[in-house]
Amino acid sequence: MVRFRPTREFAKEANQLFLEQRRRVLRLLPYAKIKHIGSTAISGALTKGDLDIFVIVPRSRFKGSIARLRRIYKVNQLKNWTKSFASFKDDSSFGLKFGLQLVSDVKKYDFLIHVNLFKKNPRLLRQYNELKQKYHGKRMRDYRKAKEQFLTKLVKHNTS
């Protein structure tokens, strides 16, 4: 079951963890670009209370980056991995659950970078929070499917 709470309950801890993990990842991948992409990066958002970061690397370094990240994080959702996307997690080492999405093709995964759209548009944030409220207490996979559809449509609309 998925449950949501206001971001303000997690913001300080999430920001601190982001900075710590950013430094940690940059020690392994000094060529990476790293972004805080989850709801904990959006004031006023509802969140599951986890931290999500987006790590962008050159295509030529993608496989090597996977090998390095495997040293410090657990593989996550292997069935979703592609030649340009991999995900990792750590649900027990920090105060918050932690997820990392590694990509080498930013355009293909730009639906993951939605933070600025919500920060700039309170109406969109309200719609996103309403979607979360609709799935509060329901199955995670149903929420994830609805969330992906919402974000994909949102990004497509805002980039065309």
Side-chain angles (χ1 to χ4, degrees), residues 101-143:
Q101 289 79 42
L102 175 70
V103 301
S104 66
D105 184 356
V106 177
K107 289 181 182 177
K108 187 173 181 179
Y109 299 100
D110 62 356
F111 72 92
L112 291 170
I113 307 175
H114 57 276
V115 173
N116 288 336
L117 291 174
F118 293 123
K119 285 181 175 179
K120 293 177 184 177
N121 191 325
R123 182 182 58 80
L124 291 177
L125 178 56
R126 189 172 48 255
Q127 290 173 353
Y128 191 38
N129 283 339
E130 288 170 359
L131 172 86
K132 290 179 177 189
Q133 288 171 333
K134 179 179 175 182
Y135 286 91
H136 182 82
K138 297 193 175 150
R139 295 187 313 184
M140 178 67 82
R141 77 172 169 211
D142 294 339
Y143 162 68

Side-chain angles (χ1 to χ4, degrees), residues 23-156:
R23 283 190 296 270
R24 189 177 189 202
V25 170
L26 283 173
R27 280 195 298 272
L28 293 174
L29 313 176
Y31 45 83
K33 294 179 184 174
I34 303 171
K35 299 177 183 285
H36 182 178
I37 63 168
S39 292
T40 52
I42 306 166
S43 179
L46 294 175
T47 179
K48 297 183 310 283
D50 57 345
L51 172 68
D52 287 300
I53 68 172
F54 193 66
V55 178
I56 306 159
V57 298
R59 182 172 286 130
S60 62
R61 295 185 179 239
F62 185 72
K63 286 184 181 180
S65 298
I66 288 173
R68 290 177 178 191
L69 290 172
R70 280 182 171 209
R71 292 185 213 154
I72 61 173
Y73 303 120
K74 293 179 184 175
V75 166
N76 189 29
Q77 299 177 342
L78 190 58
K79 67 183 182 288
N80 294 333
W81 283 34
T82 68
K83 292 179 182 180
S84 59
F85 176 85
S87 59
F88 299 87
K89 70 178 183 174
D90 188 328
D91 289 343
S92 59
S93 298
F94 316 113
L96 300 175
K97 289 184 178 183
F98 172 80
L100 181 149
Q101 289 79 42
L102 175 70
V103 301
S104 66
D105 184 356
V106 177
K107 289 181 182 177
K108 187 173 181 179
Y109 299 100
D110 62 356
F111 72 92
L112 291 170
I113 307 175
H114 57 276
V115 173
N116 288 336
L117 291 174
F118 293 123
K119 285 181 175 179
K120 293 177 184 177
N121 191 325
R123 182 182 58 80
L124 291 177
L125 178 56
R126 189 172 48 255
Q127 290 173 353
Y128 191 38
N129 283 339
E130 288 170 359
L131 172 86
K132 290 179 177 189
Q133 288 171 333
K134 179 179 175 182
Y135 286 91
H136 182 82
K138 297 193 175 150
R139 295 187 313 184
M140 178 67 82
R141 77 172 169 211
D142 294 339
Y143 162 68
R144 283 190 174 142
K145 184 177 178 180
K147 173 185 167 182
E148 183 175 346
Q149 290 171 348
F150 178 84
L151 294 177
T152 300
K153 185 176 169 183
L154 176 70
V155 170
K156 196 177 285 187

